[in-house]
Amino acid sequence: MADNSPRLKDTAASIADHEAATAAVDQGKALRRLAQNREAARKSRLRKKAYVQQLESSRVKLNQLEQELQSVARQEHINQHQLIPQYSRAVAGAGANAAAGAVRRPAARYSSLDIEYGRWIEEQQRQMRNLRAALMQQEAAANDVSENQLRLLVDENMRHYEQMFRLKAVAARSDVFHIVSGMWKTPVERICFMWMGGFRPSQLLKILIPQIEPLTEQQLVGICNLQQSSQEAEDALSQGMEALQQSLAETVANGLLGRSPTVANYMSQMTMAMSKLSMLESFVHQADNLRRQVMQQMLRILTTHQAARGLLGISDHFTCLQALSSLWSARPQD
């Protein structure tokens, strides 16, 4: 007993030291996770603040433009009686030109983006076939597909998405309404998944998560923070778009229903409305930047294998929407 007593004491002391060390490690992990969560929340607040500041800056520019145009209109001294017939002819002519343009507008006007998007889809399908084959080989423990090769395929697909953003930017400068309305997409895509000329990033993340599970605790926190910051940015942009639409509607109404229906007032209001419409391109650009940032951040959170599965899941989702649209168009008509 005398011999065993020191041994028991040493064993008990070793166990106590081990438990203390384990507790310290666990506490360190918890503190690191807490610090990571705080940092992610801080970055989310900064991103939201930046978007709100951009929208506020746009609102200030709109107000300045309205004041300048109203000042110009007040300075013009034109005989109203002489201008009323001209005003009537201008309105009638504008309506006739718009109607004629709608009739004459050929499909070729938008064929450039539509054709390029069709080619983009074909290349996307080719890349997805290669990515799917590589994933299947890797998951089957084949040795001929390394992690680096899989990463090359993932990076190639991300560059392909970047090409789509560039195509849309060029098309938006030509006709932003075509982008915002989603006329380059299938009808089902327009109804189910269209927001400011493209997909809604937060909704994309909801589709993505089941494709990449299981996630580590750190990855789950990162994805949740990314989804929250994306939703906040989307809300800010949506509110800005609603404010622009309301301002545009009021400008057009004031131009048509004002007390002094002169050509000067009419043209002043139309110039103001045109300036506001030009801001649509800025909204599309900001929305595409948000989509790009969310996809890039998503890849930084995921492993290469998870990123490959996620890209496949996203592509499969859009393929299903396109197939559904084709089936709906080909349905029997009674």
Side-chain angles (χ1 to χ4, degrees), residues 144-193:
D144 56 343
V145 178
S146 67
E147 190 79 3
N148 290 336
Q149 289 174 312
L150 195 62
R151 169 55 64 179
L152 289 175
L153 292 174
V154 169
D155 291 344
E156 180 186 22
N157 192 237
M158 288 302 298
R159 288 192 296 271
H160 192 53
Y161 275 106
E162 186 65 31
Q163 180 189 4
M164 187 69 250
F165 291 135
R166 289 195 296 268
L167 288 173
K168 287 174 60 182
V170 172
R173 288 194 291 270
S174 167
D175 190 347
V176 69
F177 298 105
H178 192 54
I179 300 295
V180 174
S181 64
M183 295 306 294
W184 49 288
K185 290 279 192 177
T186 62
V188 176
E189 286 178 287
R190 292 199 296 271
I191 293 297
C192 299
F193 217 67

Side-chain angles (χ1 to χ4, degrees), residues 25 39 51 121 232 238 276:
V25 171
E39 179 63 16
Y51 275 107
I121 289 292
E232 291 171 352
S238 296
K276 292 180 179 181

Side-chain angles (χ1 to χ4, degrees), residues 54 119 244 264 272 331:
Q54 288 179 351
R119 292 171 179 169
L244 176 61
M272 189 183 302
R331 74 191 187 282

Side-chain angles (χ1 to χ4, degrees), residues 31 53 146 170 175 188 259 265 278 282 303 323:
L31 290 175
Q53 288 175 344
S146 67
V170 172
D175 190 347
V188 176
R259 294 182 178 180
N265 288 341
S278 67
S282 174
T303 65

Side-chain angles (χ1 to χ4, degrees), residues 12-39:
S14 299
I15 293 173
D17 292 342
H18 178 72
E19 291 177 349
T22 302
V25 171
D26 292 341
Q27 185 179 10
K29 291 181 178 178
L31 290 175
R32 283 195 297 273
R33 284 196 298 269
L34 181 60
Q36 290 170 351
N37 292 345
R38 287 176 176 172
E39 179 63 16

Side-chain angles (χ1 to χ4, degrees), residues 128 207-208 211 308-318:
M128 290 301 101
I207 296 170
L208 177 71
Q211 308 294 329
R309 285 167 47 198
L311 289 173
L312 276 174
I314 293 170
S315 177
D316 288 345
H317 180 79
F318 283 110

Side-chain angles (χ1 to χ4, degrees), residues 6 11-12 42 46 77 94 104 106 127 152 203 222 228 239 264 283 323:
T11 302
R42 185 186 69 83
L46 289 176
H77 301 285
R104 292 194 307 266
Q127 291 187 11
L152 289 175
Q203 190 175 358
Q228 180 181 355
Q239 291 170 8
F283 277 101

